[in-house]
Amino acid sequence: MARADKQACATCGKGVCDGKGVVTFKDGVWHINPVAVQVLGICSALAVTNRLENSLVMGAALIFVTVGSNLFVSLLRNITPRRIRMIAEVAIIATFVIVFDQVLKAYYWEMSKQLGPYVGLIITNCIVMGRAEAFALSNRPMVSMVDGLANGLGYAAVLAIIGFFRELIGTGGLFGHQLLSEAWYTPNQLAVLAPGAFIALGFLIAIFNAISGANREEGSQR
Amino acid sequence: MKIVRDLLDRVEPLFREGGRFRLFRPIYAAGAAILLSPLDRTRAAPHVRDPLDVKRYMSLVIIALLPCMAASVYFFGLRVLAMVLVSYAAGGAVEVLFAIVRKDDVNEGFLVTGLLFPLVLPPSTPFWMVAVGVVFGVLVGKELFGGTGRNLFNPALVGRVFLALAYPRAMSSSWGIPGSGLFGHVTQFSVDAVSGATPLAAAKSGGLVPLWDLFFGSVSGSAGETSAAAVLLGGAFLLLVGVASWRTVAATLGAFAVMTFALHGGSPMMTLWHLLAGGILFGAFFMATDPVSSPLTKAGRWSYGIIIGVAAALIRNLTGYVEGVMFAILLGNVFAPILDEIFVTARVRRLREEG
């Protein structure tokens, strides 16, 4: 987390980022995109992205949790004893995760079954914990919410892109509807298998870094 | 020779810095390198007297593959040749593209990959699938790692595994029926594809193809691997000219034989049968010995071969997969660098202790 912390503050000034909502937002979605740049939250990004629908719901879940947890961690930051702050953060995060999980179970049972344990596992997602530690703990509530929203969106966008390509290539359709005719398109079943997720994510990170210039090695040519 | 030289000299300025086709210099360089030996020589000592360079090395492998080529055309028809052409065209395009972007030369290594790849596919593989597979193999298996010499895995096998996982139906259920008689299937283009079984698949359900058919090659299977005789001929040539490491081959086949012998209750007939069936011979001679993705130390080569042989026998006999040679070799590739590291470190330590 140390690196993300440093990068975030390098872009928004001297340590504290109050009043710089736009900078914070751009950072979360683009400059320090949690998946493409920091390579966090990979487990769920690989596991649920075999279908676009799953990816979108998972992205929504993460946005909900990061926004909520960042807000409350920030609100409570001045009365949280430093030594037990991690436990406090986890308790707050877990609350939001359980709320989302229960809603999903109550109204979208099929989707809940599809996502399996991965909604519950958001509690241990490094992105949520990382934002609480690196940002919400030292910033005001509103800008912390912006940070949570931006990071959630950054994660959701990456998942949506991977889900889009994996479902389209792997089944020839989207949202379960056949788009590419079986007559001339043979679904590439590797795309919906686990190795396909690794390959897709690898390509996405490579393309993202080539465009944004993030993670460039020292002394590389461009 | 002179005419070729003159022609090359005449077009050369077009490809120089500032010339009209300067972007495509790698294509010119590759053409010139294939037609003639390079002009730039090392001027200062020390000179290596052995003229074995990458080009010669790869040419020898291609010569060694000719018997397999001939056998597969005989058994499965001219379509195999068309698959080779597709493989060269599609994979070559990726190779040239990367050479242009990197401003580097096209490497001869691709000539072998492009020929090996179609030979490990079922002879009825659709042409577009051949193209997709070889593009993936060259792109992900080689270029993304940094090009020839830096790849961790055998590119042809990366492409093969990609196709096997992506299109399992096309890759495992439809096999061509081999031709027979004086001309076999040489006179026909298309393959008589049927949803038949390879000898190994048939063996899983209890039917054994006669040994002689396996040796000669009139069985269904991947294009280049069916004829054990052709593979042994080419393989012997590779060992004679010293391009393939006999240690790797011996360790692979030896470990495979011992493991199969043990798994089949000590039956020498079954051991021989399994050695001749499927892709173990082809893999041992042409795939496992790839100089880039196999170890360089002698002890490393023995261990690497043993890993491949044991894994191939285990996958073939104890899992749902019918054939395991490609997975086994890729597994061996993973261990290749660490094996070298272990044995080099051990040797350095021993030398240091001795003084």
Side-chain angles (χ1 to χ4, degrees), chain A residues 127-151:
Chain A
I127 301 172
V128 188
M129 192 71 174
R131 291 334 288 173
E133 271 285 297
F135 199 94
L137 214 55
S138 53
N139 285 287
R140 290 191 178 159
M142 286 315 287
V143 77
S144 292
M145 269 177 79
V146 171
D147 181 73
L149 177 69
N151 278 277

Side-chain angles (χ1 to χ4, degrees), chain A residues 35 41 43-64 100 104 111 114-116 118-119 122 125 152-168 174-175 191-192 197 200-201 204:
Chain A
V35 187
C43 180
S44 53
L46 294 172
V48 303
T49 49
N50 54 350
R51 292 179 57 211
L52 180 55
E53 201 180 356
N54 298 359
S55 315
L56 291 177
V57 173
M58 192 66 191
L62 203 100
I63 294 175
F64 174 75
F100 194 93
L104 212 56
M111 176 52 66
Q114 291 257 348
L115 290 176
Y118 290 99
V119 172
I122 293 178
N125 191 311
L153 278 174
Y155 173 87
V158 171
L159 256 69
I161 294 169
I162 299 177
F164 174 84
F165 282 110
R166 284 184 67 192
E167 185 172 358
L168 189 65
L174 286 174
F175 295 114
V192 286
L201 186 66
L204 185 122

Side-chain angles (χ1 to χ4, degrees), chain B residues 93-104:
Chain B
V94 177
E95 190 86 4
V96 169
L97 187 74
F98 267 81
I100 290 173
V101 172
R102 288 206 179 103
K103 299 188 169 49
D104 199 357

Side-chain angles (χ1 to χ4, degrees), chain A residues 2-177:
Chain A
R3 198 183 51 160
D5 196 2
K6 213 169 67 190
Q7 281 185 359
C9 293
T11 20
C12 42
K14 299 169 192 162
V16 189
C17 309
D18 280 12
K20 301 208 170 179
V22 179
V23 176
T24 309
F25 189 80
K26 279 185 186 163
D27 273 355
V29 177
W30 188 257
H31 296 297
I32 54 162
N33 183 298
V35 187
V37 179
Q38 302 181 50
V39 199
L40 296 175
I42 292 303
C43 180
S44 53
L46 294 172
V48 303
T49 49
N50 54 350
R51 292 179 57 211
L52 180 55
E53 201 180 356
N54 298 359
S55 315
L56 291 177
V57 173
M58 192 66 191
L62 203 100
I63 294 175
F64 174 75
V65 175
T66 44
V67 170
S69 68
N70 261 17
L71 173 65
F72 277 85
V73 168
S74 178
L75 281 174
L76 299 175
R77 71 184 190 281
N78 291 329
I79 57 168
T80 313
R82 262 199 92 65
R83 293 176 66 183
I84 61 155
R85 68 180 196 286
M86 289 268 203
I87 299 167
E89 284 161 14
V90 171
I92 293 169
I93 293 166
T95 310
F96 284 99
V97 171
I98 289 166
V99 168
F100 194 93
D101 200 24
Q102 293 299 318
V103 171
L104 212 56
K105 276 190 179 134
Y107 295 102
Y108 304 98
W109 174 237
E110 284 301 314
M111 176 52 66
S112 179
K113 263 200 306 190
Q114 291 257 348
L115 290 176
Y118 290 99
V119 172
L121 280 174
I122 293 178
I123 297 176
T124 60
N125 191 311
C126 327
I127 301 172
V128 188
M129 192 71 174
R131 291 334 288 173
E133 271 285 297
F135 199 94
L137 214 55
S138 53
N139 285 287
R140 290 191 178 159
M142 286 315 287
V143 77
S144 292
M145 269 177 79
V146 171
D147 181 73
L149 177 69
N151 278 277
L153 278 174
Y155 173 87
V158 171
L159 256 69
I161 294 169
I162 299 177
F164 174 84
F165 282 110
R166 284 184 67 192
E167 185 172 358
L168 189 65
I169 295 171
T171 66
L174 286 174
F175 295 114
H177 299 293

